[in-house]
Amino acid sequence: MSRLFSAYVIVDWSAAAKPTTGADSIWIGVLKRDVRFRLTFESYNPATRAEAETRLAAVLDDLKKRGERALVGFDFPLGFPRGLAQALALPGETPWRAVWDQLAKMVKDKPDNTNNRFGVGSEINRRLTGGPFPFWGCPPKDALTTLQPKRPREHGEGDLPEFRHADEAAKGAHSIWKLYYNGSVGGQAIMGIPVVRRLKDARGETLRVWPFETGFKALTEADLEGVATVVAEVYPSLIKAAPAAGEVKDLAQVRGLAEHFAKLDEAGKLGAIFAAPKGLPEEALAAAQTEEGWILGA
C-alpha cells in the first residue's frame, strides 16, 4: 500500500502575550523526504504567532509546489463543545465554521504577540451567561465582571458541556474553557483557530480539515485526490517522547509525533485512524463531525 503523505508537520502552539522561544513556546516540526527520499527532520521555534504563521505557509507552499502531500497536526482543539454556535446564535448551517468565523472577527493578535484572548473569552461569556462562565482563567490584573482568575462554578444541567467527546476519550485533556495557567488549551484555541482559518482560506479545497471536511472514514489515496494538505488536531501526550540531552520536551514531542504518523503511514495503517472511533454513539459522532472535532489517534 502506498503512503498517503510525503510530509508530516506537527505544531506545538502557544498563546503567549510576548515573544517567546525555548520551552513552552511555539515549535514546528517538519518530517519530510530529502532528495534521496529519506525522511529528514527539521524544526522551527518562532518567537511569535505571526512568524509561525508565515513559516507554516512557506512550508506548505513549498511542499505543494513539489507535489508532496502533508499531514499537519495542531496541538489545540479545532472545535468547541457542542452547542456553542447555537447558543451564540451564529449564522450559517455549519457550526464549526460559524465559530471559526466569529473568532476571526473578535481576535486581535499583534506582531509582538500582544493579544486580546481574555477579552474574547469575557465577551463570549457575556453573550452566553452574562457572568464569568464558562470561560475562566486570567491574571488578576485582567479580571473582569465576565471573566475571573478562578473557575466560578462547576458545569451543570443547561450549561454547555465542560469537555468535548474527544477530550473525554483522550483522558487527561484539559477543558477548552480554561484560558490561563498550565494546560490552557482555551487560550491556544482562541489564538490558533484564526491562523488555521487563514491557512485554509488561502488554499481552498486543496486543504481539508479533519473530520469537519472529510468526515470520519479510513482515508485512501482516492479520497485525497487533489488535496495537498490535511489538517488535524493532535495530542502530543498520546506518545512518550524522550528529549535528547539539552533538548526541550516540546521539540521532542513534535518530532516524536511526526515520526509516529510517518511509521503508521509507511506500514499502510495511517489512513485507518481517520475513521470513526469505535463505540462512539451516533449523537457523539455527529457532534464531532459538525462542531467539536476530534483528536487524531484518540
Side-chain angles (χ1 to χ4, degrees):
M1 182 179 289
S2 61
R3 296 185 301 269
L4 292 177
F5 300 94
S6 304
Y8 313 85
V9 181
I10 304 298
V11 184
D12 185 338
W13 201 242
S14 169
K18 61 183 179 179
T20 308
T21 57
D24 300 320
S25 64
I26 296 174
W27 285 89
I28 301 171
V30 182
L31 188 65
K32 63 181 182 180
R33 300 191 181 276
D34 61 17
V35 293
R36 297 183 180 181
F37 301 102
R38 296 175 303 188
L39 280 173
T40 58
F41 179 78
E42 56 191 31
S43 64
Y44 305 95
N45 184 209
T48 66
R49 284 176 294 278
E51 292 174 25
E53 183 174 352
T54 299
R55 172 63 66 182
L56 278 169
V59 167
L60 296 185
D61 289 345
D62 178 62
L63 289 169
K64 183 180 179 182
K65 188 182 300 182
R66 292 161 51 177
E68 299 184 22
R69 185 184 299 128
L71 170 63
V72 182
F74 289 92
D75 75 331
F76 55 80
L78 297 176
F80 282 75
R82 52 206 174 274
L84 177 61
Q86 181 179 7
L88 290 174
L90 300 181
E93 298 180 357
T94 310
W96 69 270
R97 182 67 200 211
V99 172
W100 281 29
D101 292 345
Q102 182 63 38
L103 287 177
K105 293 176 183 176
M106 300 176 75
V107 169
K108 307 298 180 186
D109 195 7
K110 296 183 179 180
D112 65 354
N113 264 4
T114 302
N115 67 79
N116 68 336
R117 69 188 187 278
F118 300 127
V120 171
S122 174
E123 174 59 18
I124 292 176
N125 278 351
R126 185 192 68 78
R127 297 185 191 182
L128 290 174
T129 65
F133 185 85
F135 279 113
W136 64 276
C138 66
K141 65 180 180 62
D142 293 305
L144 298 163
T145 304
T146 50
L147 186 70
Q148 292 294 305
K150 296 183 179 181
R151 185 170 64 166
R153 62 178 176 84
E154 299 283 339
H155 287 249
E157 187 176 351
D159 292 328
L160 292 172
E162 181 177 6
F163 296 102
R164 302 172 303 154
H165 292 294
D167 301 326
E168 294 168 345
K171 296 179 181 179
H174 292 267
S175 170
I176 198 170
W177 304 118
K178 182 180 178 182
L179 294 179
Y180 196 53
Y181 315 112
N182 291 336
S184 56
V185 294
Q188 293 180 13
I190 287 175
M191 303 313 302
I193 284 175
V195 172
V196 181
R197 179 182 179 273
R198 287 191 290 271
L199 292 172
K200 161 66 185 172
D201 288 355
R203 289 159 183 78
E205 290 303 303
T206 67
L207 185 153
R208 299 284 177 83
V209 182
W210 175 85
F212 299 140
E213 297 182 301
T214 63
F216 278 123
K217 63 179 299 186
L219 294 181
T220 65
E221 180 65 36
D223 295 321
L224 298 178
E225 184 176 355
V227 176
T229 308
V230 174
V231 166
E233 176 187 345
V234 297
Y235 188 41
S237 296
L238 284 177
I239 65 163
K240 291 183 179 180
E247 185 178 68
V248 301
K249 181 181 178 182
D250 313 270
L251 172 55
Q253 286 187 319
V254 297
R255 183 182 61 243
L257 204 52
E259 291 174 345
H260 171 69
F261 290 133
K263 288 176 182 176
L264 287 177
D265 206 5
E266 192 70 31
K269 297 178 180 179
L270 183 59
I273 70 172
F274 292 91
K278 293 181 179 179
L280 200 64
E282 286 298 321
E283 183 179 343
L285 284 172
Q289 289 186 103
T290 59
E291 50 189 329
E292 291 192 338
W294 197 261
I295 299 168
L296 192 62

